[in-house]
Amino acid sequence: MHEKQRGHRYIVIDDFLSAPDFAAAQDLMERTAFTVRESVISAEDGSAFRSRGARFGPDLGTPGALEQPKVYEELARAVRAYAHFYGEASTDWDRIMFAFWKYPAGSRLGWHNDAGLGRQGEFILFLHDRWRPSWGGELKLIDEDPQPVTEDEAAESDLVLRMEARIDRSTTSPVAIVPKPNRLVMVKSDTVHTIGRVDHTAGDTLRRTLTGFVSKSPARERTRASALESLSAMLTTN
């Protein structure tokens, strides 16, 4: 495992898992059931496949905790190791949510920012065997802190258009991260990002990931509206 690249709002770690642990994570994914999910960002994105989510507290992977799949434990350790990025366990965050995703050729996920709901950040671990850069599917992000929302942006109901307006006002260009196998990408909450469309030349090869959010449980009782917002957000990941 070694840190490949670091920006203000993201960190890339290559060779995250050992070879046996990476194979075990792939096997876990193969044994997991998936359902087709339409994009909640844009109808133009196409559909992807998502597993049921798993949620754990901050004790995941600590001594004495109930043993879980190694990939979950290693990701939890990485989250705690990067406390300057995600914050301190139990204080700044108290839960980690995981889900497997598969993106086929022709699919993408439009620009969004995964903000709110107590999130401190997210992570994406690529689990396919191989990936050619020409197959697309890059994780693209704006490595810049959010700017104050303009009146025009606040009045815009279309999420993609709001995000594109933020990109237009950005002082930097998007960073494109190739979905290299066994690469872990950590991203701060409220970072504008997208999944590039998987090129048709990928054929039957799927863009496979284990993704998750690091977040703080809300102190107040959730309303029905906030519950629906949470459900929508859980369906929107990388």
Side-chain angles (χ1 to χ4, degrees):
M1 178 176 86
H2 66 278
E3 194 170 303
K4 171 77 171 181
Q5 185 177 350
R6 177 191 287 257
H8 183 56
R9 303 188 62 83
Y10 74 96
I11 298 171
V12 178
I13 297 175
D14 279 352
D15 305 317
F16 176 67
L17 297 172
S18 67
D21 289 344
F22 183 69
Q26 290 180 309
D27 181 65
L28 177 63
M29 188 176 193
E30 287 299 315
R31 292 185 285 108
T32 299
F34 286 80
T35 56
V36 177
R37 295 295 177 94
E38 300 299 327
S39 171
V40 297
I41 302 299
S42 170
E44 297 177 353
D45 291 343
S47 58
F49 303 92
R50 183 187 187 273
S51 73
R52 291 188 61 183
R55 177 182 296 179
F56 299 93
D59 59 337
L60 175 64
T62 59
L66 184 65
E67 186 175 352
Q68 299 292 343
K70 189 67 177 294
V71 63
Y72 291 170
E73 295 182 347
E74 291 300 321
L75 285 166
R77 292 189 185 102
V79 169
R80 286 194 298 273
Y82 282 84
H84 67 284
F85 195 79
Y86 292 112
E88 296 290 341
S90 300
T91 301
D92 299 303
W93 61 270
D94 57 14
R95 60 183 178 179
I96 304 178
M97 294 177 287
F98 298 91
F100 290 107
W101 283 85
K102 297 191 291 191
Y103 279 80
S107 62
R108 69 173 188 187
L109 189 62
W111 289 99
H112 60 288
N113 61 340
D114 291 329
L117 303 175
R119 290 175 178 152
Q120 299 300 307
E122 58 191 288
F123 51 80
I124 307 98
L125 176 62
F126 299 110
L127 290 176
H128 30 255
D129 280 323
R130 60 187 288 263
W131 195 265
R132 293 180 56 187
S134 59
W135 289 347
E138 304 93 345
L139 174 64
K140 303 175 186 177
L141 57 85
I142 301 297
D143 191 26
E144 182 179 80
D145 288 338
Q147 301 178 26
V149 177
T150 66
E151 291 185 5
D152 288 342
E153 288 176 28
E156 177 56 65
S157 60
D158 186 286
L159 174 62
V160 174
L161 292 180
R162 289 204 309 272
M163 294 299 102
E164 290 181 350
R166 282 180 55 171
I167 296 169
D168 287 341
R169 292 194 295 120
S170 174
T171 61
T172 186
S173 296
V175 175
I177 302 170
V178 174
K180 180 180 176 181
N182 203 14
R183 168 172 283 177
L184 174 67
V185 186
M186 298 184 285
V187 183
K188 286 187 178 181
S189 177
D190 204 12
T191 300
V192 179
H193 62 287
T194 185
I195 297 175
R197 196 178 300 277
V198 178
D199 194 79
H200 70 91
T201 55
D204 294 334
T205 303
L206 301 174
R207 182 187 187 273
R208 301 168 183 259
T209 64
L210 175 58
T211 71
F213 290 109
V214 181
S215 58
K216 179 76 171 179
S217 303
R220 61 180 176 81
E221 182 177 353
R222 297 193 309 168
T223 63
R224 182 175 184 275
S226 65
L228 290 174
E229 182 183 8
S230 297
L231 176 60
S232 174
M234 286 185 69
L235 299 180
T236 310
T237 188
N238 305 291

